[in-house]
Amino acid sequence: MTFDYRVQVICSSPPQGETKAFVLPHLKSDFAHIELSLQILSKVLEVQPDSEEHWLKSCYPFLLLLGLCKLLDGYTKYWHRFRDQHCPSLETKDLIATTNLLELEGTLKGLNSQPWLPPSPEVWIQSLAWLHRKVELLGWTVGLWLKKLFGDHFKNKVPATLFQICKLSEDEWTSRPVLVYGAGSGLLAWMECCCISTALREQMLSLLTIDVDNPEEVNLFSKGFLVVLIQVLPWCSHSEWKRLMQVIESLLQRQVLHVPYTLEYVQYMPLLNFKPFAHYLQFSVLFLRGFQLLCSSSCSSWLPAEAWQHVVRLYSNSLTDLLGSVKRDSLSHWHSADDKNPLSFIYIQVFCHVLHVAAMLPDGRSGEPLLVLALEILSQYETLSASDKSLSSALRKANEKHFLESITDNVSNKLLQAMLLQKLSKL
């Protein structure tokens, strides 16, 4: 019986019965079938009430919210839990946060406007206060997920260092003691806020206080951003990482984040206009610098093998999206054969960066994602190269092919090397 079919079978009964039997007792991370319970909750929240009284009233909705919050809190120790300790996957984190928690929060907030739930405004305030006290015992980021529900009743409690880099209104925000967030941790707290939701990400970007006219301040921020990025990266779900990618894009466009491009993998610098594609090169270089720090001797033993695999998947997905954006943007900039040369340069540089990352990973944990990514880069380069019929293209293509082969010869993973050389031989 497939997973989806089991959910459909279970959800054929009244929603309050399903919630009490298959969800409420099992909202704990050590439950072996927690994903099934969450899928059931997601389905029953779509059920509209048949009568004036909402079925959720009898399902202890504040307990449901607390259970979801506790699941989210468990992810703060995700890679450092005991090996025999069950924990939902990071993909399940997206289901908990962006589906179940938001739907339940929205439904519950809607019920507040009904005269029959809660029975009185006093009960509603008491219930919120109870939930707020319980959530305060969890990680500080968990409370921000319930920002809309708590509304005007409670301020958002965050580490005091966040106030050092953000213009936070004291009417909405207040500090709370968090021991591990000492001096200089404001940027870490800021980035963790950006991960939570699209709305909070945009708010954090608008409140960031960096003087772009002060080179020293921009340099200091850029260095700190790189360090914080690799601290947050392993704990990101796919949705959270996508939000951070949009943060990076915004900061690069506003020139708040400085990512200098070096001549590390440059045979020659063609006299071409790279401005339309500059931030793509900066993206790739930023990832490379991040992995150089993450794979350094001070950090290489920080993560277990499963965490490295997750990090590589996030990196591969990011560069796949980047290549897709390069391809789309190139269509609006192709006016002549010469306009294709910057793209050729970008593909070669990104290819070199990917192989550099693969070479740095401890114990050769490059895995399939980087192999697929490298082959995809060569495929896009091949398509671009084949469409270039200019008079000077033959020599340039020959030089580029020789350069790509010389870089690939240094790949230590023999399977990866053989497949890449085979692909290059067909260019």
Side-chain angles (χ1 to χ4, degrees):
M1 186 182 294
T2 64
F3 186 81
D4 290 337
Y5 183 70
R6 281 188 292 166
V7 173
Q8 291 175 5
V9 170
I10 294 172
C11 290
S12 60
S13 57
Q16 59 268 36
E18 298 155 0
T19 305
K20 290 180 179 179
F22 301 109
V23 180
L24 195 56
H26 307 301
L27 284 184
K28 44 190 179 181
S29 59
D30 59 350
F31 179 56
H33 304 291
I34 183 64
E35 288 85 357
L36 178 60
S37 292
L38 292 169
Q39 289 283 1
I40 293 169
L41 178 59
S42 181
K43 290 293 183 182
V44 297
L45 286 175
E46 298 172 3
V47 178
Q48 298 300 317
D50 296 329
S51 61
E52 290 183 356
E53 187 165 305
H54 201 289
W55 61 265
L56 190 59
K57 177 183 177 182
S58 64
C59 295
Y60 309 101
F62 284 95
L63 276 177
L64 284 171
L65 275 175
L66 180 59
L68 294 173
C69 287
K70 286 183 175 179
L71 286 175
L72 282 181
D73 183 60
Y75 282 100
T76 59
K77 304 176 181 67
Y78 189 79
W79 297 117
H80 300 302
R81 65 192 188 281
F82 295 111
R83 288 196 172 273
D84 58 348
Q85 183 180 354
H86 177 78
C87 187
S89 67
L90 280 165
E91 288 75 13
T92 304
K93 184 181 181 182
D94 282 338
L95 175 63
I96 297 168
T98 59
T99 305
N100 290 322
L101 193 61
L102 294 182
E103 284 185 11
L104 183 55
E105 181 189 16
T107 303
L108 190 56
K109 193 172 182 181
L111 294 180
N112 182 36
S113 64
Q114 303 296 327
W116 39 264
L117 183 63
S120 67
E122 290 78 13
V123 174
W124 174 258
I125 296 299
Q126 290 172 6
S127 301
L128 276 183
W130 174 85
L131 181 63
H132 189 262
R133 287 195 302 272
K134 294 293 185 181
V135 169
E136 272 197 311
L137 301 175
L138 307 177
W140 68 271
T141 56
V142 177
L144 294 179
W145 280 106
L146 302 177
K147 192 167 172 281
K148 288 185 178 180
L149 186 65
F150 290 146
D152 299 327
H153 300 287
F154 305 100
K155 293 183 179 181
N156 305 307
K157 293 190 174 182
V158 295
T161 52
L162 183 59
F163 285 81
Q164 297 172 2
I165 64 168
C166 278
K167 294 179 180 178
L168 298 177
S169 167
E170 293 186 0
D171 294 333
E172 299 178 23
W173 302 80
T174 186
S175 63
R176 62 177 285 183
V178 186
L179 294 178
V180 294
Y181 288 79
S185 64
L187 188 54
L188 173 61
W190 179 85
M191 190 175 291
E192 289 178 318
C193 287
C194 290
C195 289
I196 290 175
S197 68
T198 301
L200 194 52
R201 179 197 70 204
E202 294 305 310
Q203 186 178 14
M204 288 294 107
L205 283 170
S206 67
L207 296 174
L208 185 65
T209 55
I210 300 296
D211 183 6
V212 294
D213 295 323
N214 185 336
E216 184 178 348
E217 189 170 340
V218 172
N219 273 328
L220 187 62
F221 171 80
S222 301
K223 292 176 182 177
F225 187 91
L226 180 63
V227 173
V228 169
L229 186 66
I230 66 162
Q231 286 181 267
V232 175
L233 167 61
W235 278 266
C236 280
S237 65
H238 288 283
S239 294
E240 290 172 331
W241 185 241
K242 280 184 176 293
R243 292 190 195 103
L244 282 188
M245 293 304 95
Q246 291 161 340
V247 168
I248 294 172
E249 183 175 3
S250 175
L251 294 177
L252 287 174
Q253 290 176 348
R254 290 163 49 188
Q255 298 184 350
V256 177
L257 180 61
H258 177 58
V259 183
Y261 188 79
T262 62
L263 303 181
E264 198 164 354
Y265 288 105
V266 179
Q267 261 188 332
Y268 66 94
M269 180 61 75
L271 299 176
L272 300 167
N273 179 22
F274 290 99
K275 191 173 182 179
F277 308 101
H279 62 286
Y280 295 127
L281 287 173
Q282 289 177 306
F283 255 109
S284 188
V285 171
L286 181 67
F287 292 147
L288 176 60
R289 298 291 172 253
F291 272 94
Q292 284 176 323
L293 185 55
L294 193 59
C295 298
S296 64
S297 57
S298 58
C299 299
S300 58
S301 59
W302 178 44
L303 298 172
E306 298 85 356
W308 282 106
Q309 293 167 8
H310 175 69
V311 165
V312 168
R313 282 195 297 270
L314 291 181
Y315 169 65
S316 299
N317 291 340
S318 297
L319 283 194
T320 299
D321 292 342
L322 182 145
L323 291 171
S325 298
V326 169
K327 192 174 182 178
R328 286 191 298 273
D329 284 1
S330 66
L331 298 177
S332 60
H333 292 92
W334 278 6
H335 302 295
S336 66
D338 288 340
D339 292 332
K340 299 179 183 180
N341 292 344
L343 293 177
S344 175
F345 180 81
I346 289 169
Y347 286 140
I348 291 172
Q349 294 306 298
V350 175
F351 177 80
C352 292
H353 295 163
V354 170
L355 295 191
H356 192 153
V357 170
M360 289 188 294
L361 293 174
D363 301 329
R365 294 172 187 150
S366 57
E368 186 179 341
L370 289 185
L371 170 60
V372 173
L373 178 60
L375 290 172
E376 174 59 26
I377 296 171
L378 289 182
S379 294
Q380 291 196 28
Y381 169 79
E382 182 181 21
T383 301
L384 178 71
S385 183
S387 64
D388 186 358
K389 306 297 183 183
S390 61
L391 294 175
S392 60
S393 65
L395 178 59
R396 179 177 57 79
K397 291 176 186 177
N399 288 335
E400 288 176 350
K401 180 180 179 182
H402 176 72
F403 177 67
L404 289 169
E405 288 174 338
S406 65
I407 294 295
T408 306
D409 282 338
N410 296 320
V411 175
S412 58
N413 186 317
K414 296 305 178 184
L415 175 61
L416 177 61
Q417 183 191 63
M419 296 188 74
L420 293 174
L421 288 174
Q422 183 181 15
K423 180 72 174 177
L424 285 167
S425 68
K426 299 177 181 178
L427 293 180

